[in-house]
Amino acid sequence: MQTKIKFPAKRFMLLLFLCSSSVILLQNYDLSESSSFMYNIVSMLLGLAVSFLFFVPSIIIKRKTDLDFMSFAHIKTPSAIIFISSFYCAYFVYTAEYFLLRYMDMFSQKLNSEANIYAVALFLLAVCIYAAYKGTNAIARCSIFIFLFALVSFILIFTGNISNVKADSSVYSFEGSTDSLLNNALFFTTPAFTAVIFATLSGFTKNFRQRQVLFTTGFLALLFGLIMFFVAFALGKYSTAQSYQGFLLSKSAHIGGVNGFDSLYLSLSVLIVLLVISLLLTCIGKSVGKSGSLSTVVVFTAIIYVLFICSGYFNSVKKILTDEYIFVFFTLTASVVIPSVYLIVFGRKDYD
């Protein structure tokens, strides 16, 4: 049930902002332990700048034609669209697996190590099937409430850690290796997966402005920076050897007699992951030209679940599905390389 009614681009960018926040919520040993706070900030700004550039080809197509890249490709190369659709479907399945595996790792480590992760994953995917069937507009409307919940959660976590902040001049030092800079920047480039979502679903939006992508990236940098600040100053060196530093930050928060907001953090994490996977399933439907098709959503969800089971039995499969280098390369191809080829082949005269 995919609505044909366009919704405001601002709401869509809010949705992409929430999806991007999943990267920092599920962060676990992705940043170099030897890098200083300022070094990590530079890495973050570099990574998000690259992530912003991933949007450029699709922004050009949207601005010139008011179409998303996928619709543009369907119109310009109807005979070859099966190959394009196949690639993007593979990308969205990979990305859904990437975030599902990362979330389930956090779930088993921090919430319930005794739970059957296969049953939990099946339940999560069942919810995503329903959300994807309702369509992009419905997901975007839900994102407003999730954003409000996220805003309250982060405010409580940050204010609850203010009393824990300690001045440490060494944190301001600019220390780190070139390898650390590149590794950290790569991690902060992973939010670029939202550029592929934009390339697929932006045709459903109206009143799009290029600056909206810039503002979204800026707010994302602010959120990432605040989390990194409190991890560095409120948790200190203790956090460098700990898993899921964001979760640890939520546990250390306290306001008056209320201690720990880890339940908010875990609730927000599952809501964001549900949002991401649901949106990726709608992207699959759009890619194959069957938006709102329940059968399409169910089939690809089944593929995601089978891969999840395989990753549990074969560690090599899990490593491939959660490898940042593969993920970013895959994202680069989907958001920049293929759309750029279309821009070059179908020049300015073909936009109108």
Side-chain angles (χ1 to χ4, degrees):
M1 189 176 71
Q2 184 78 32
T3 179
K4 302 281 185 186
I5 300 174
K6 290 191 174 185
F7 56 92
K10 289 182 180 179
R11 192 188 302 167
F12 185 52
M13 298 314 299
L14 176 64
L15 181 58
L16 296 187
F17 169 80
L18 290 172
C19 289
S20 298
S21 67
S22 61
V23 171
I24 199 71
L25 289 172
L26 301 178
Q27 192 272 126
N28 183 35
Y29 298 122
D30 295 294
L31 300 178
S32 173
E33 297 180 12
S34 59
S35 300
S36 65
F37 168 70
M38 292 304 298
Y39 206 78
N40 287 338
I41 289 294
V42 171
S43 301
M44 181 264 290
L45 293 176
L46 177 60
L48 289 182
V50 174
S51 178
F52 170 77
L53 294 177
F54 280 31
F55 280 86
V56 172
S58 297
I59 288 176
I60 295 174
I61 293 174
K62 175 65 176 176
R63 182 170 57 87
K64 293 293 185 180
T65 67
D66 198 30
L67 297 171
D68 51 71
F69 164 70
M70 193 56 63
S71 298
F72 185 73
H74 273 272
I75 293 171
K76 294 301 179 180
T77 56
S79 59
I81 196 61
I82 186 173
F83 301 106
I84 298 296
S85 296
S86 298
F87 174 83
Y88 279 88
C89 286
Y91 173 80
F92 293 129
V93 167
Y94 182 94
T95 304
E97 205 68 50
Y98 180 89
F99 286 103
L100 179 62
L101 285 168
R102 282 176 167 257
Y103 172 74
M104 292 310 301
D105 279 348
M106 186 174 77
F107 177 89
S108 60
Q109 290 186 40
K110 300 300 182 182
L111 188 57
N112 189 347
S113 60
E114 302 298 323
N116 186 322
I117 61 172
Y118 302 108
V120 174
L122 183 61
F123 175 76
L124 291 180
L125 291 174
V127 175
C128 292
I129 289 175
Y130 175 77
Y133 173 66
K134 299 298 289 185
T136 309
N137 198 353
I139 296 173
R141 288 197 300 270
C142 290
S143 70
I144 298 174
F145 300 100
I146 296 177
F147 173 75
L148 293 176
F149 179 74
L151 185 62
V152 172
S153 299
F154 283 126
I155 288 175
L156 290 174
I157 292 172
F158 293 151
T159 55
N161 274 288
I162 288 177
S163 60
N164 297 330
V165 173
K166 299 178 177 62
D168 186 356
S169 59
S170 64
V171 179
Y172 287 112
S173 62
F174 195 72
E175 297 178 357
S177 64
T178 303
D179 288 341
S180 296
L181 178 66
L182 295 177
N183 177 74
N184 294 352
L186 179 73
F187 170 72
F188 287 115
T189 303
T190 54
F193 78 93
T194 56
V196 189
I197 297 177
F198 179 88
T200 308
L201 301 177
S202 58
F204 290 132
T205 65
K206 60 183 179 180
N207 302 325
F208 171 72
R209 299 292 183 272
Q210 299 172 64
R211 62 178 178 271
Q212 292 169 349
V213 178
L214 183 61
F215 288 155
T216 301
T217 305
F219 285 121
L220 194 64
L222 177 62
L223 173 63
F224 285 14
L226 283 171
I227 292 177
M228 292 164 63
F229 171 83
F230 280 102
V231 167
F233 285 87
L235 300 180
K237 294 182 178 179
Y238 166 74
S239 66
T240 58
Q242 302 300 312
S243 62
Y244 297 105
Q245 296 174 346
F247 174 78
L248 188 63
L249 189 68
S250 69
K251 285 185 69 69
S252 67
H254 56 89
I255 298 177
V258 181
N259 297 317
F261 293 95
D262 47 302
S263 59
L264 288 178
Y265 188 90
L266 292 171
S267 298
L268 179 60
S269 297
V270 69
L271 286 174
I272 297 298
V273 170
L274 286 171
L275 203 64
V276 170
I277 298 176
S278 299
L279 204 56
L280 292 169
L281 289 172
T282 64
C283 287
I284 291 174
K286 180 67 180 293
S287 299
V288 299
K290 294 183 178 180
S291 296
S293 170
L294 181 60
S295 59
T296 300
V297 173
V298 170
V299 167
F300 280 94
T301 302
I303 294 173
I304 293 170
Y305 187 64
V306 169
L307 283 174
F308 178 77
I309 294 175
C310 291
S311 68
Y313 288 97
F314 304 101
N315 193 51
S316 58
V317 174
K318 184 176 181 178
K319 285 184 177 179
I320 293 173
L321 292 173
T322 56
D323 187 277
E324 288 178 2
Y325 289 91
I326 296 176
F327 184 40
V328 172
F329 177 77
F330 214 175
T331 302
L332 175 67
T333 305
S335 63
V336 178
V337 177
I338 295 178
S340 294
V341 169
Y342 270 79
L343 285 171
I344 293 171
V345 174
F346 303 101
R348 186 181 300 272
K349 67 180 187 308
D350 288 325
Y351 289 141
D352 300 326

